[in-house]
Structure formats: C-alpha cells, structure tokens
Short mmCIF file of all heavy atoms in Angstrom, two decimals:
data_model
loop_
_atom_site.label_atom_id
_atom_site.label_comp_id
_atom_site.label_asym_id
_atom_site.label_seq_id
_atom_site.Cartn_x
_atom_site.Cartn_y
_atom_site.Cartn_z
N MET A 1 -7.74 -56.00 -41.48
CA MET A 1 -8.97 -56.74 -41.66
C MET A 1 -10.18 -55.89 -41.29
O MET A 1 -11.18 -55.91 -41.98
CB MET A 1 -8.90 -57.99 -40.79
CG MET A 1 -10.12 -58.82 -40.84
SD MET A 1 -9.70 -60.36 -41.60
CE MET A 1 -11.26 -61.11 -41.69
N LEU A 2 -10.10 -55.12 -40.23
CA LEU A 2 -11.20 -54.29 -39.78
C LEU A 2 -11.48 -53.15 -40.76
O LEU A 2 -12.62 -52.69 -40.87
CB LEU A 2 -10.88 -53.73 -38.39
CG LEU A 2 -11.94 -52.88 -37.73
CD1 LEU A 2 -13.22 -53.68 -37.53
CD2 LEU A 2 -11.45 -52.36 -36.39
N GLU A 3 -10.47 -52.72 -41.49
CA GLU A 3 -10.62 -51.59 -42.41
C GLU A 3 -11.70 -51.81 -43.46
O GLU A 3 -12.34 -50.87 -43.91
CB GLU A 3 -9.28 -51.28 -43.12
CG GLU A 3 -8.20 -50.75 -42.23
CD GLU A 3 -7.52 -51.85 -41.41
OE1 GLU A 3 -7.62 -53.03 -41.79
OE2 GLU A 3 -6.91 -51.51 -40.39
N LYS A 4 -11.94 -53.03 -43.88
CA LYS A 4 -12.95 -53.27 -44.91
C LYS A 4 -14.37 -53.03 -44.41
O LYS A 4 -15.29 -52.86 -45.19
CB LYS A 4 -12.81 -54.67 -45.51
CG LYS A 4 -13.19 -55.80 -44.59
CD LYS A 4 -13.03 -57.13 -45.30
CE LYS A 4 -13.42 -58.27 -44.39
NZ LYS A 4 -13.28 -59.56 -45.08
N TYR A 5 -14.58 -52.96 -43.10
CA TYR A 5 -15.89 -52.72 -42.54
C TYR A 5 -16.15 -51.25 -42.24
O TYR A 5 -17.29 -50.86 -41.98
CB TYR A 5 -16.08 -53.54 -41.25
CG TYR A 5 -16.04 -55.02 -41.51
CD1 TYR A 5 -14.96 -55.78 -41.12
CD2 TYR A 5 -17.10 -55.66 -42.16
CE1 TYR A 5 -14.91 -57.14 -41.37
CE2 TYR A 5 -17.06 -57.02 -42.40
CZ TYR A 5 -15.97 -57.76 -42.01
OH TYR A 5 -15.94 -59.09 -42.26
N LEU A 6 -15.12 -50.43 -42.28
CA LEU A 6 -15.27 -49.01 -42.00
C LEU A 6 -15.71 -48.26 -43.24
O LEU A 6 -15.31 -48.60 -44.35
CB LEU A 6 -13.95 -48.42 -41.47
CG LEU A 6 -13.45 -48.99 -40.15
CD1 LEU A 6 -12.10 -48.38 -39.81
CD2 LEU A 6 -14.44 -48.72 -39.03
N LEU A 7 -16.52 -47.24 -43.05
CA LEU A 7 -16.91 -46.40 -44.18
C LEU A 7 -15.72 -45.55 -44.60
O LEU A 7 -14.93 -45.11 -43.75
CB LEU A 7 -18.06 -45.47 -43.78
CG LEU A 7 -19.40 -46.13 -43.53
CD1 LEU A 7 -20.39 -45.10 -43.01
CD2 LEU A 7 -19.94 -46.75 -44.81
N PRO A 8 -15.61 -45.26 -45.88
CA PRO A 8 -14.55 -44.35 -46.31
C PRO A 8 -14.76 -42.97 -45.68
O PRO A 8 -15.88 -42.55 -45.40
CB PRO A 8 -14.73 -44.27 -47.83
CG PRO A 8 -15.62 -45.40 -48.18
CD PRO A 8 -16.39 -45.78 -46.97
N ALA A 9 -13.71 -42.25 -45.47
CA ALA A 9 -13.75 -40.95 -44.78
C ALA A 9 -14.74 -39.96 -45.39
O ALA A 9 -15.46 -39.30 -44.66
CB ALA A 9 -12.36 -40.34 -44.72
N PRO A 10 -14.83 -39.82 -46.72
CA PRO A 10 -15.77 -38.83 -47.27
C PRO A 10 -17.23 -39.11 -46.92
O PRO A 10 -18.03 -38.20 -46.87
CB PRO A 10 -15.56 -38.92 -48.78
CG PRO A 10 -14.21 -39.52 -48.95
CD PRO A 10 -14.01 -40.41 -47.76
N GLN A 11 -17.61 -40.34 -46.66
CA GLN A 11 -19.00 -40.66 -46.37
C GLN A 11 -19.35 -40.44 -44.90
O GLN A 11 -20.51 -40.33 -44.56
CB GLN A 11 -19.30 -42.11 -46.75
CG GLN A 11 -19.29 -42.33 -48.24
CD GLN A 11 -19.62 -43.76 -48.60
OE1 GLN A 11 -19.75 -44.62 -47.74
NE2 GLN A 11 -19.74 -44.04 -49.88
N GLN A 12 -18.38 -40.38 -44.01
CA GLN A 12 -18.68 -40.26 -42.60
C GLN A 12 -19.39 -38.96 -42.24
O GLN A 12 -20.33 -39.00 -41.45
CB GLN A 12 -17.41 -40.47 -41.77
CG GLN A 12 -17.02 -41.94 -41.78
CD GLN A 12 -15.83 -42.24 -40.90
OE1 GLN A 12 -15.29 -41.36 -40.26
NE2 GLN A 12 -15.44 -43.49 -40.87
N PRO A 13 -19.03 -37.80 -42.79
CA PRO A 13 -19.82 -36.59 -42.49
C PRO A 13 -21.27 -36.73 -42.95
O PRO A 13 -22.18 -36.26 -42.28
CB PRO A 13 -19.09 -35.48 -43.24
CG PRO A 13 -17.69 -35.97 -43.37
CD PRO A 13 -17.81 -37.47 -43.52
N GLU A 14 -21.48 -37.38 -44.09
CA GLU A 14 -22.84 -37.61 -44.57
C GLU A 14 -23.61 -38.48 -43.59
O GLU A 14 -24.79 -38.26 -43.33
CB GLU A 14 -22.83 -38.26 -45.95
CG GLU A 14 -22.29 -37.37 -47.05
CD GLU A 14 -22.09 -38.11 -48.36
OE1 GLU A 14 -22.41 -39.31 -48.43
OE2 GLU A 14 -21.62 -37.47 -49.31
N ARG A 15 -22.94 -39.45 -43.02
CA ARG A 15 -23.57 -40.35 -42.05
C ARG A 15 -24.00 -39.56 -40.81
O ARG A 15 -25.08 -39.77 -40.27
CB ARG A 15 -22.60 -41.47 -41.68
CG ARG A 15 -23.11 -42.41 -40.64
CD ARG A 15 -24.28 -43.20 -41.16
NE ARG A 15 -24.82 -43.98 -40.08
CZ ARG A 15 -25.62 -44.98 -40.24
NH1 ARG A 15 -26.00 -45.34 -41.45
NH2 ARG A 15 -26.08 -45.64 -39.21
N LYS A 16 -23.15 -38.63 -40.38
CA LYS A 16 -23.49 -37.81 -39.22
C LYS A 16 -24.72 -36.96 -39.51
O LYS A 16 -25.58 -36.79 -38.64
CB LYS A 16 -22.31 -36.92 -38.82
CG LYS A 16 -21.19 -37.68 -38.18
CD LYS A 16 -20.05 -36.76 -37.78
CE LYS A 16 -18.92 -37.54 -37.17
NZ LYS A 16 -17.82 -36.68 -36.76
N VAL A 17 -24.81 -36.43 -40.72
CA VAL A 17 -25.97 -35.63 -41.10
C VAL A 17 -27.23 -36.49 -41.10
O VAL A 17 -28.27 -36.09 -40.56
CB VAL A 17 -25.76 -34.96 -42.48
CG1 VAL A 17 -27.04 -34.34 -42.99
CG2 VAL A 17 -24.65 -33.92 -42.40
N LEU A 18 -27.13 -37.68 -41.67
CA LEU A 18 -28.29 -38.59 -41.69
C LEU A 18 -28.69 -39.00 -40.28
O LEU A 18 -29.88 -39.04 -39.95
CB LEU A 18 -27.98 -39.82 -42.54
CG LEU A 18 -27.87 -39.59 -44.04
CD1 LEU A 18 -27.45 -40.88 -44.75
CD2 LEU A 18 -29.17 -39.08 -44.61
N ASP A 19 -27.71 -39.29 -39.44
CA ASP A 19 -28.01 -39.64 -38.05
C ASP A 19 -28.70 -38.49 -37.33
O ASP A 19 -29.65 -38.68 -36.57
CB ASP A 19 -26.74 -40.03 -37.29
CG ASP A 19 -26.20 -41.39 -37.71
OD1 ASP A 19 -26.92 -42.14 -38.41
OD2 ASP A 19 -25.04 -41.69 -37.35
N SER A 20 -28.24 -37.28 -37.60
CA SER A 20 -28.83 -36.10 -36.97
C SER A 20 -30.27 -35.90 -37.44
O SER A 20 -31.16 -35.61 -36.63
CB SER A 20 -27.99 -34.87 -37.31
OG SER A 20 -28.57 -33.71 -36.80
N ILE A 21 -30.50 -36.06 -38.72
CA ILE A 21 -31.86 -35.92 -39.28
C ILE A 21 -32.77 -36.98 -38.69
O ILE A 21 -33.90 -36.70 -38.28
CB ILE A 21 -31.84 -36.00 -40.82
CG1 ILE A 21 -31.15 -34.76 -41.39
CG2 ILE A 21 -33.24 -36.15 -41.38
CD1 ILE A 21 -30.85 -34.86 -42.88
N PHE A 22 -32.27 -38.21 -38.60
CA PHE A 22 -33.07 -39.30 -38.04
C PHE A 22 -33.41 -39.02 -36.58
O PHE A 22 -34.55 -39.19 -36.15
CB PHE A 22 -32.33 -40.63 -38.18
CG PHE A 22 -33.09 -41.78 -37.61
CD1 PHE A 22 -34.23 -42.26 -38.25
CD2 PHE A 22 -32.68 -42.39 -36.44
CE1 PHE A 22 -34.95 -43.33 -37.72
CE2 PHE A 22 -33.39 -43.46 -35.90
CZ PHE A 22 -34.52 -43.93 -36.54
N ALA A 23 -32.43 -38.56 -35.80
CA ALA A 23 -32.66 -38.25 -34.39
C ALA A 23 -33.70 -37.15 -34.25
O ALA A 23 -34.58 -37.21 -33.38
CB ALA A 23 -31.35 -37.84 -33.72
N GLU A 24 -33.63 -36.15 -35.12
CA GLU A 24 -34.61 -35.06 -35.08
C GLU A 24 -36.01 -35.57 -35.41
O GLU A 24 -36.99 -35.17 -34.78
CB GLU A 24 -34.21 -33.96 -36.06
CG GLU A 24 -35.07 -32.74 -35.99
CD GLU A 24 -34.58 -31.61 -36.89
OE1 GLU A 24 -33.46 -31.68 -37.41
OE2 GLU A 24 -35.35 -30.66 -37.06
N MET A 25 -36.11 -36.48 -36.38
CA MET A 25 -37.41 -37.05 -36.74
C MET A 25 -38.00 -37.84 -35.58
O MET A 25 -39.20 -37.74 -35.29
CB MET A 25 -37.26 -37.94 -37.98
CG MET A 25 -36.98 -37.18 -39.25
SD MET A 25 -36.54 -38.26 -40.64
CE MET A 25 -38.02 -39.23 -40.82
N VAL A 26 -37.17 -38.63 -34.91
CA VAL A 26 -37.63 -39.43 -33.76
C VAL A 26 -38.11 -38.51 -32.65
O VAL A 26 -39.18 -38.72 -32.06
CB VAL A 26 -36.52 -40.38 -33.28
CG1 VAL A 26 -36.88 -41.02 -31.94
CG2 VAL A 26 -36.24 -41.45 -34.32
N LEU A 27 -37.34 -37.46 -32.37
CA LEU A 27 -37.71 -36.52 -31.32
C LEU A 27 -39.02 -35.80 -31.67
O LEU A 27 -39.91 -35.67 -30.82
CB LEU A 27 -36.59 -35.50 -31.11
CG LEU A 27 -36.83 -34.45 -30.04
CD1 LEU A 27 -37.09 -35.09 -28.69
CD2 LEU A 27 -35.66 -33.50 -29.97
N ASN A 28 -39.15 -35.35 -32.90
CA ASN A 28 -40.38 -34.67 -33.33
C ASN A 28 -41.59 -35.58 -33.20
O ASN A 28 -42.66 -35.14 -32.77
CB ASN A 28 -40.24 -34.15 -34.75
CG ASN A 28 -39.38 -32.93 -34.85
OD1 ASN A 28 -39.19 -32.21 -33.86
ND2 ASN A 28 -38.83 -32.67 -36.02
N LYS A 29 -41.44 -36.85 -33.56
CA LYS A 29 -42.56 -37.79 -33.43
C LYS A 29 -42.93 -37.98 -31.97
O LYS A 29 -44.11 -38.00 -31.61
CB LYS A 29 -42.25 -39.13 -34.08
CG LYS A 29 -43.42 -40.09 -33.96
CD LYS A 29 -43.24 -41.34 -34.73
CE LYS A 29 -44.38 -42.31 -34.68
NZ LYS A 29 -45.45 -42.11 -33.75
N ALA A 30 -41.93 -38.11 -31.11
CA ALA A 30 -42.20 -38.28 -29.68
C ALA A 30 -42.92 -37.07 -29.12
O ALA A 30 -43.89 -37.21 -28.35
CB ALA A 30 -40.90 -38.53 -28.93
N LEU A 31 -42.49 -35.88 -29.51
CA LEU A 31 -43.15 -34.66 -29.04
C LEU A 31 -44.58 -34.56 -29.56
O LEU A 31 -45.49 -34.17 -28.82
CB LEU A 31 -42.34 -33.43 -29.46
CG LEU A 31 -41.01 -33.24 -28.75
CD1 LEU A 31 -40.21 -32.12 -29.42
CD2 LEU A 31 -41.22 -32.96 -27.28
N ARG A 32 -44.77 -34.91 -30.83
CA ARG A 32 -46.11 -34.87 -31.43
C ARG A 32 -47.04 -35.87 -30.74
O ARG A 32 -48.18 -35.54 -30.41
CB ARG A 32 -45.99 -35.16 -32.93
CG ARG A 32 -47.15 -34.68 -33.75
CD ARG A 32 -46.90 -34.75 -35.26
NE ARG A 32 -46.18 -35.92 -35.72
CZ ARG A 32 -44.91 -35.91 -36.14
NH1 ARG A 32 -44.22 -34.80 -36.18
NH2 ARG A 32 -44.32 -37.02 -36.55
N ASP A 33 -46.53 -37.08 -30.49
CA ASP A 33 -47.34 -38.10 -29.80
C ASP A 33 -47.70 -37.65 -28.39
O ASP A 33 -48.82 -37.86 -27.93
CB ASP A 33 -46.61 -39.44 -29.77
CG ASP A 33 -46.50 -40.10 -31.13
OD1 ASP A 33 -47.18 -39.65 -32.08
OD2 ASP A 33 -45.72 -41.08 -31.25
N PHE A 34 -46.74 -37.04 -27.70
CA PHE A 34 -46.99 -36.55 -26.35
C PHE A 34 -48.07 -35.47 -26.38
O PHE A 34 -48.99 -35.47 -25.56
CB PHE A 34 -45.70 -36.00 -25.74
CG PHE A 34 -45.89 -35.40 -24.38
CD1 PHE A 34 -46.06 -36.21 -23.27
CD2 PHE A 34 -45.90 -34.03 -24.22
CE1 PHE A 34 -46.24 -35.65 -22.00
CE2 PHE A 34 -46.08 -33.47 -22.96
CZ PHE A 34 -46.25 -34.28 -21.85
N ARG A 35 -47.97 -34.54 -27.32
CA ARG A 35 -48.95 -33.46 -27.42
C ARG A 35 -50.34 -34.01 -27.76
O ARG A 35 -51.35 -33.56 -27.22
CB ARG A 35 -48.51 -32.40 -28.43
CG ARG A 35 -49.45 -31.23 -28.53
CD ARG A 35 -49.55 -30.47 -27.21
NE ARG A 35 -50.55 -29.42 -27.30
CZ ARG A 35 -51.40 -29.11 -26.32
NH1 ARG A 35 -51.34 -29.73 -25.17
NH2 ARG A 35 -52.28 -28.16 -26.50
N LYS A 36 -50.40 -35.00 -28.66
CA LYS A 36 -51.68 -35.61 -28.99
C LYS A 36 -52.33 -36.22 -27.76
O LYS A 36 -53.54 -36.10 -27.56
CB LYS A 36 -51.50 -36.70 -30.06
CG LYS A 36 -51.27 -36.18 -31.45
CD LYS A 36 -51.11 -37.36 -32.39
CE LYS A 36 -50.81 -36.96 -33.79
NZ LYS A 36 -50.67 -38.12 -34.70
N GLU A 37 -51.53 -36.88 -26.93
CA GLU A 37 -52.06 -37.48 -25.72
C GLU A 37 -52.58 -36.40 -24.76
O GLU A 37 -53.65 -36.54 -24.17
CB GLU A 37 -50.97 -38.30 -25.03
CG GLU A 37 -51.47 -39.07 -23.83
CD GLU A 37 -50.40 -39.94 -23.21
OE1 GLU A 37 -49.48 -40.39 -23.92
OE2 GLU A 37 -50.49 -40.18 -21.99
N GLN A 38 -51.81 -35.31 -24.65
CA GLN A 38 -52.25 -34.19 -23.80
C GLN A 38 -53.57 -33.62 -24.30
O GLN A 38 -54.49 -33.37 -23.51
CB GLN A 38 -51.22 -33.07 -23.82
CG GLN A 38 -50.08 -33.21 -22.87
CD GLN A 38 -49.23 -31.96 -22.89
OE1 GLN A 38 -49.00 -31.35 -23.94
NE2 GLN A 38 -48.76 -31.57 -21.73
N ILE A 39 -53.66 -33.39 -25.59
CA ILE A 39 -54.88 -32.83 -26.17
C ILE A 39 -56.06 -33.76 -25.95
O ILE A 39 -57.17 -33.33 -25.63
CB ILE A 39 -54.69 -32.51 -27.67
CG1 ILE A 39 -53.70 -31.36 -27.85
CG2 ILE A 39 -56.03 -32.16 -28.32
CD1 ILE A 39 -53.30 -31.11 -29.30
N GLY A 40 -55.82 -35.07 -26.09
CA GLY A 40 -56.89 -36.04 -25.84
C GLY A 40 -57.45 -35.92 -24.43
O GLY A 40 -58.67 -35.94 -24.22
N LYS A 41 -56.56 -35.76 -23.46
CA LYS A 41 -57.00 -35.60 -22.08
C LYS A 41 -57.75 -34.28 -21.90
O LYS A 41 -58.77 -34.22 -21.19
CB LYS A 41 -55.80 -35.64 -21.14
CG LYS A 41 -55.17 -37.02 -21.03
CD LYS A 41 -53.92 -37.00 -20.17
CE LYS A 41 -53.28 -38.37 -20.13
NZ LYS A 41 -52.02 -38.36 -19.35
N GLU A 42 -57.27 -33.23 -22.55
CA GLU A 42 -57.94 -31.94 -22.46
C GLU A 42 -59.31 -31.98 -23.14
O GLU A 42 -60.27 -31.35 -22.67
CB GLU A 42 -57.07 -30.84 -23.06
CG GLU A 42 -55.82 -30.55 -22.25
CD GLU A 42 -54.91 -29.54 -22.91
OE1 GLU A 42 -55.39 -28.67 -23.67
OE2 GLU A 42 -53.69 -29.59 -22.66
N ILE A 43 -59.42 -32.71 -24.23
CA ILE A 43 -60.71 -32.87 -24.90
C ILE A 43 -61.69 -33.61 -23.99
O ILE A 43 -62.84 -33.19 -23.85
CB ILE A 43 -60.55 -33.62 -26.25
CG1 ILE A 43 -59.90 -32.69 -27.28
CG2 ILE A 43 -61.89 -34.13 -26.76
CD1 ILE A 43 -59.51 -33.38 -28.58
N ASP A 44 -61.21 -34.67 -23.35
CA ASP A 44 -62.07 -35.40 -22.41
C ASP A 44 -62.57 -34.47 -21.31
O ASP A 44 -63.75 -34.50 -20.94
CB ASP A 44 -61.31 -36.57 -21.79
CG ASP A 44 -61.05 -37.70 -22.78
OD1 ASP A 44 -61.67 -37.70 -23.86
OD2 ASP A 44 -60.20 -38.56 -22.48
N GLN A 45 -61.66 -33.63 -20.79
CA GLN A 45 -62.06 -32.70 -19.73
C GLN A 45 -63.07 -31.68 -20.24
O GLN A 45 -64.03 -31.35 -19.56
CB GLN A 45 -60.83 -31.98 -19.15
CG GLN A 45 -61.14 -31.11 -17.96
CD GLN A 45 -61.69 -31.89 -16.78
OE1 GLN A 45 -61.13 -32.91 -16.39
NE2 GLN A 45 -62.80 -31.44 -16.22
N SER A 46 -62.86 -31.19 -21.46
CA SER A 46 -63.80 -30.21 -22.01
C SER A 46 -65.18 -30.83 -22.20
O SER A 46 -66.20 -30.15 -22.03
CB SER A 46 -63.28 -29.62 -23.33
OG SER A 46 -63.31 -30.56 -24.37
N LEU A 47 -65.23 -32.11 -22.53
CA LEU A 47 -66.52 -32.80 -22.64
C LEU A 47 -67.18 -32.94 -21.27
O LEU A 47 -68.39 -32.71 -21.14
CB LEU A 47 -66.33 -34.17 -23.30
CG LEU A 47 -65.98 -34.16 -24.78
CD1 LEU A 47 -65.59 -35.55 -25.25
CD2 LEU A 47 -67.13 -33.61 -25.60
N ARG A 48 -66.39 -33.30 -20.27
CA ARG A 48 -66.95 -33.41 -18.91
C ARG A 48 -67.47 -32.06 -18.43
O ARG A 48 -68.50 -31.98 -17.76
CB ARG A 48 -65.90 -33.94 -17.94
CG ARG A 48 -65.66 -35.44 -18.06
CD ARG A 48 -64.82 -35.98 -16.93
NE ARG A 48 -63.46 -35.48 -16.95
CZ ARG A 48 -62.46 -36.01 -17.65
NH1 ARG A 48 -62.68 -37.06 -18.40
NH2 ARG A 48 -61.25 -35.50 -17.59
N ASP A 49 -66.74 -30.99 -18.80
CA ASP A 49 -67.14 -29.64 -18.39
C ASP A 49 -68.22 -29.04 -19.29
O ASP A 49 -68.70 -27.93 -19.03
CB ASP A 49 -65.93 -28.70 -18.40
CG ASP A 49 -64.86 -29.07 -17.40
OD1 ASP A 49 -65.16 -29.86 -16.47
OD2 ASP A 49 -63.71 -28.60 -17.55
N ARG A 50 -68.53 -29.74 -20.36
CA ARG A 50 -69.48 -29.24 -21.37
C ARG A 50 -69.06 -27.88 -21.92
O ARG A 50 -69.86 -26.98 -22.12
CB ARG A 50 -70.90 -29.18 -20.80
CG ARG A 50 -71.43 -30.53 -20.38
CD ARG A 50 -72.81 -30.42 -19.79
NE ARG A 50 -73.24 -31.70 -19.26
CZ ARG A 50 -73.96 -32.60 -19.93
NH1 ARG A 50 -74.32 -32.36 -21.16
NH2 ARG A 50 -74.32 -33.73 -19.35
N ASN A 51 -67.76 -27.78 -22.19
CA ASN A 51 -67.17 -26.55 -22.70
C ASN A 51 -66.99 -26.69 -24.22
O ASN A 51 -65.96 -27.18 -24.69
CB ASN A 51 -65.84 -26.28 -22.01
CG ASN A 51 -65.23 -24.96 -22.38
OD1 ASN A 51 -65.55 -24.38 -23.41
ND2 ASN A 51 -64.32 -24.47 -21.55
N LYS A 52 -67.99 -26.26 -24.94
CA LYS A 52 -68.00 -26.43 -26.40
C LYS A 52 -66.87 -25.67 -27.08
O LYS A 52 -66.22 -26.19 -27.98
CB LYS A 52 -69.36 -25.97 -26.96
CG LYS A 52 -69.48 -26.19 -28.45
CD LYS A 52 -70.85 -25.77 -28.95
CE LYS A 52 -70.96 -25.96 -30.45
NZ LYS A 52 -72.30 -25.57 -30.95
N GLU A 53 -66.61 -24.43 -26.64
CA GLU A 53 -65.56 -23.62 -27.26
C GLU A 53 -64.19 -24.29 -27.11
O GLU A 53 -63.41 -24.36 -28.06
CB GLU A 53 -65.54 -22.22 -26.66
CG GLU A 53 -66.71 -21.37 -27.07
CD GLU A 53 -66.68 -19.99 -26.40
OE1 GLU A 53 -65.65 -19.63 -25.79
OE2 GLU A 53 -67.70 -19.30 -26.50
N GLU A 54 -63.92 -24.77 -25.90
CA GLU A 54 -62.63 -25.44 -25.66
C GLU A 54 -62.54 -26.73 -26.45
O GLU A 54 -61.51 -27.05 -27.03
CB GLU A 54 -62.47 -25.71 -24.16
CG GLU A 54 -61.14 -26.28 -23.77
CD GLU A 54 -59.97 -25.30 -23.88
OE1 GLU A 54 -60.16 -24.14 -24.30
OE2 GLU A 54 -58.85 -25.71 -23.56
N PHE A 55 -63.63 -27.48 -26.51
CA PHE A 55 -63.67 -28.71 -27.29
C PHE A 55 -63.36 -28.43 -28.76
O PHE A 55 -62.53 -29.11 -29.36
CB PHE A 55 -65.04 -29.38 -27.16
CG PHE A 55 -65.22 -30.55 -28.08
CD1 PHE A 55 -64.70 -31.79 -27.74
CD2 PHE A 55 -65.90 -30.43 -29.29
CE1 PHE A 55 -64.84 -32.88 -28.59
CE2 PHE A 55 -66.05 -31.50 -30.14
CZ PHE A 55 -65.52 -32.74 -29.79
N LEU A 56 -64.00 -27.43 -29.33
CA LEU A 56 -63.76 -27.10 -30.75
C LEU A 56 -62.33 -26.63 -30.98
O LEU A 56 -61.70 -27.01 -31.98
CB LEU A 56 -64.77 -26.04 -31.21
CG LEU A 56 -66.22 -26.50 -31.26
CD1 LEU A 56 -67.15 -25.33 -31.57
CD2 LEU A 56 -66.41 -27.63 -32.26
N ARG A 57 -61.81 -25.83 -30.07
CA ARG A 57 -60.43 -25.35 -30.21
C ARG A 57 -59.45 -26.53 -30.17
O ARG A 57 -58.54 -26.63 -31.01
CB ARG A 57 -60.10 -24.35 -29.10
CG ARG A 57 -58.70 -23.75 -29.21
CD ARG A 57 -58.35 -22.91 -28.01
NE ARG A 57 -58.12 -23.70 -26.81
CZ ARG A 57 -57.02 -24.43 -26.56
NH1 ARG A 57 -56.06 -24.46 -27.45
NH2 ARG A 57 -56.90 -25.09 -25.43
N LEU A 58 -59.65 -27.41 -29.22
CA LEU A 58 -58.74 -28.55 -29.07
C LEU A 58 -58.84 -29.53 -30.22
O LEU A 58 -57.82 -30.06 -30.69
CB LEU A 58 -59.03 -29.26 -27.74
CG LEU A 58 -58.63 -28.49 -26.49
CD1 LEU A 58 -59.28 -29.08 -25.26
CD2 LEU A 58 -57.12 -28.41 -26.35
N THR A 59 -60.05 -29.81 -30.69
CA THR A 59 -60.17 -30.74 -31.82
C THR A 59 -59.54 -30.15 -33.08
O THR A 59 -58.95 -30.88 -33.87
CB THR A 59 -61.64 -31.13 -32.08
OG1 THR A 59 -62.44 -29.96 -32.26
CG2 THR A 59 -62.19 -31.97 -30.95
N GLU A 60 -59.63 -28.84 -33.23
CA GLU A 60 -58.97 -28.20 -34.37
C GLU A 60 -57.45 -28.31 -34.23
O GLU A 60 -56.75 -28.60 -35.20
CB GLU A 60 -59.40 -26.72 -34.46
CG GLU A 60 -58.96 -26.05 -35.73
CD GLU A 60 -59.57 -26.66 -36.99
OE1 GLU A 60 -60.71 -27.15 -36.95
OE2 GLU A 60 -58.88 -26.66 -38.03
N GLU A 61 -56.95 -28.09 -33.04
CA GLU A 61 -55.50 -28.24 -32.82
C GLU A 61 -55.05 -29.66 -33.09
O GLU A 61 -54.02 -29.88 -33.72
CB GLU A 61 -55.15 -27.83 -31.38
CG GLU A 61 -53.66 -27.87 -31.10
CD GLU A 61 -53.28 -27.43 -29.71
OE1 GLU A 61 -54.11 -26.82 -29.00
OE2 GLU A 61 -52.12 -27.71 -29.32
N LEU A 62 -55.85 -30.62 -32.66
CA LEU A 62 -55.51 -32.03 -32.89
C LEU A 62 -55.48 -32.34 -34.38
O LEU A 62 -54.58 -33.05 -34.86
CB LEU A 62 -56.51 -32.94 -32.16
CG LEU A 62 -56.22 -34.43 -32.20
CD1 LEU A 62 -54.86 -34.75 -31.59
CD2 LEU A 62 -57.32 -35.19 -31.47
N LYS A 63 -56.42 -31.82 -35.12
CA LYS A 63 -56.44 -32.04 -36.57
C LYS A 63 -55.19 -31.46 -37.23
O LYS A 63 -54.64 -32.04 -38.17
CB LYS A 63 -57.68 -31.42 -37.21
CG LYS A 63 -58.95 -32.20 -36.99
CD LYS A 63 -60.07 -31.71 -37.86
CE LYS A 63 -60.67 -30.44 -37.32
NZ LYS A 63 -61.88 -29.99 -38.02
N ASN A 64 -54.73 -30.32 -36.73
CA ASN A 64 -53.57 -29.65 -37.32
C ASN A 64 -52.25 -30.35 -37.05
O ASN A 64 -51.32 -30.19 -37.82
CB ASN A 64 -53.49 -28.20 -36.83
CG ASN A 64 -54.59 -27.33 -37.42
OD1 ASN A 64 -55.07 -27.60 -38.52
ND2 ASN A 64 -54.98 -26.31 -36.70
N ILE A 65 -52.18 -31.13 -35.98
CA ILE A 65 -50.91 -31.81 -35.71
C ILE A 65 -50.93 -33.27 -36.13
O ILE A 65 -49.91 -33.93 -36.06
CB ILE A 65 -50.51 -31.69 -34.22
CG1 ILE A 65 -51.48 -32.40 -33.31
CG2 ILE A 65 -50.27 -30.28 -33.82
CD1 ILE A 65 -51.00 -32.51 -31.88
N SER A 66 -52.04 -33.78 -36.55
CA SER A 66 -52.12 -35.19 -36.96
C SER A 66 -51.51 -35.43 -38.31
O SER A 66 -51.28 -34.61 -39.08
CB SER A 66 -53.57 -35.64 -36.97
OG SER A 66 -54.08 -35.64 -35.66
#
C-alpha cells in the first residue's frame, strides 16, 4: 500500500538535485539579505560620519546585490 506513494527509483536522484538547488537558493537569499542589512547599517554610519566616498561606495554595492 505504501509503495504507491513512493517516487519511482529513476526520479529520486532528480529530486535530490532539485532539493540541493532549492537549498542553495534559500541559502543565497539569506546571505544576500544579511549583507543588505549590513550595508544599510554601514550606510547609516557613513551618513552620520558625513563620509561621502564611503556612502557612494556602499550605495553602489547595495545596487549591485539587489
């Protein structure tokens, strides 16, 4: 009875590949979101410090990862 719910053997390696791709996408998004938050804090600091060069560098980096 349980056999009808299992994927056939040839599809299971494909499932592992899809799971791996999905996990990589989730991880990449988490890393990108974390970096965006870091850059936002650094931009705020550059504004407080009135550091125009750092502000421009960071906003350019933020644009490139968005």
